[in-house]
Amino acid sequence: AQSVTQPDIHITVSEGASLELRCNYSYGATPYLFWYVQSPGQGLQLLLKYFSGDTLVQGIKGFEAEFKRSQSSFNLRKPSVHWSDAAEYFCAVVGRRGGATNKLIFGTGTLLAVQP
Amino acid sequence: DVKVTQSSRYLVKRTGEKVFLECVQDMDHENMFWYRQDPGLGLRLIYFSYDVKMKEKGDIPEGYSVSREKKERFSLILESASTNQTSMYLCASSISGRPDREQFFGPGTRLTVL
């Protein structure tokens, strides 16, 4: 069955430092992968997505992610974190192809705190 | 921009009450979803709908039902609320069922069942 693992429940980084959030997926074929961010008190917003092609994808707010098939990973990165990046981050994979809907399977999330 | 709205940000209900959570999207999307979000569990799919009057169970449908009478509106119903249904509920929509289509989320309803 498809699944997503985010091994880090909580991460704290200093403002200006680099960031990497880990995501591992389980899926038999080429996956459709997403990263979403949830700021406090808000719904989820899409940061970036990967389906095919270049394995390094760029997203909004200066984020990027790299798809590595050999490691079944899709880690999210940012070279310099801003205080406004404090939020919860979710990795997701499309759990079912075909049919009438794009059913997402989410990881358990990583809560990012940013120190001044 | 796509806008997904939910009828309440915060809701407090008593055990045994019938609870309605409403979700409306304004972009003529085909698919709509209800998730619940709990700490340490991420988002779990309760129900989804791919057309008016069409629905399908997600991963945790027990204790819930849904209604989609109009394309833009998707309701989640707790027939008899219980304390273990205290949670954050998120609605989402997407333009179609293609796997590359983004889901757009509402701000969530935090439901407390006493």
Side-chain angles (χ1 to χ4, degrees), chain B residues 17-92:
Chain B
E17 280 192 79
K18 189 169 186 176
V19 181
F20 293 86
L21 302 182
E22 306 286 340
C23 176
V24 177
Q25 49 91 7
D26 65 356
M27 284 301 290
D28 202 35
H29 282 182
E30 298 288 337
N31 285 225
M32 296 188 74
F33 308 82
W34 275 108
Y35 295 90
R36 66 177 281 175
Q37 181 180 11
D38 300 288
L41 297 177
L43 279 74
R44 294 178 291 167
L45 183 63
I46 304 172
Y47 265 97
F48 59 93
S49 169
Y50 48 91
D51 201 351
V52 174
K53 298 188 186 295
M54 304 304 289
K55 60 187 178 184
E56 193 168 325
K57 293 179 180 179
D59 299 317
I60 52 165
E62 297 78 18
Y64 303 95
S65 62
V66 290
S67 173
R68 194 169 181 198
E69 297 296 320
K70 294 185 177 181
K71 192 174 186 180
E72 68 271 17
R73 187 179 298 270
F74 191 36
S75 302
L76 180 69
I77 304 157
L78 287 66
E79 294 290 342
S80 178
S82 63
T83 55
N84 63 12
Q85 293 178 309
T86 291
S87 186
M88 170 71 87
Y89 290 88
L90 292 167
C91 176

Side-chain angles (χ1 to χ4, degrees), chain A residues 24-100:
Chain A
N24 293 98
Y25 66 89
S26 172
Y27 192 80
T30 300
Y32 287 64
L33 293 158
F34 301 79
W35 273 101
Y36 283 86
V37 61
Q38 185 179 33
S39 298
Q42 298 189 21
L44 275 69
Q45 180 184 21
L46 181 69
L47 284 174
L48 46 77
K49 56 188 177 183
Y50 171 79
F51 308 129
S52 63
D54 192 348
T55 56
L56 185 63
V57 293
Q58 302 297 320
I60 63 171
K61 306 186 181 191
F63 285 92
E64 66 179 26
E66 186 171 13
F67 171 66
K68 293 185 177 179
R69 183 188 300 277
S70 62
Q71 298 176 20
S72 297
S73 70
F74 188 54
N75 294 348
L76 182 71
R77 302 194 295 241
K78 187 169 184 178
S80 178
V81 170
H82 187 262
W83 63 266
S84 60
D85 294 324
E88 190 158 21
Y89 292 81
F90 293 93
C91 182
V93 64
V94 172
R96 185 178 78 179
R97 311 285 180 85

Side-chain angles (χ1 to χ4, degrees), chain B residues 90-107:
Chain B
L90 292 167
C91 176
S93 72
S94 66
I95 191 167
S96 76
R98 280 178 47 173
D100 60 335
R101 295 306 185 192
E102 173 185 356
Q103 290 187 21
F104 294 85
F105 285 80

